[in-house]
Amino acid sequence: GRALSAECRSNRGDADDPYPPAEIEAKFVSLAAPVWGVAHAQAVMAAVRTLDGAADLHELCTLIGR
């Protein structure tokens, strides 16, 4: 018998090993859907995706406030 060992020098989800966007979105929907429903959670997620080009946060704040 031989023994092998390894060490992980970074945590999954940090800058060296980020979570894929699809996994983050699936987790968000799984946590938000019991409160808002799947369709509303997906609408919030869609608004977040467009933040880079948004003039303001009005749409996102309106969705979150519902």
Side-chain angles (χ1 to χ4, degrees), residues 5-56:
S5 65
E7 182 178 329
C8 180
R9 297 193 182 264
S10 67
N11 292 322
R12 186 166 177 264
D14 71 3
D16 292 331
D17 187 14
Y19 292 110
E23 189 173 336
I24 294 168
E25 292 174 359
K27 183 171 184 174
F28 173 77
V29 171
S30 75
L31 295 171
V35 177
W36 282 329
V38 173
H40 190 80
Q42 290 173 334
V44 171
M45 200 167 41
V48 169
R49 280 191 210 112
T50 64
L51 283 178
D52 282 347
D56 57 42

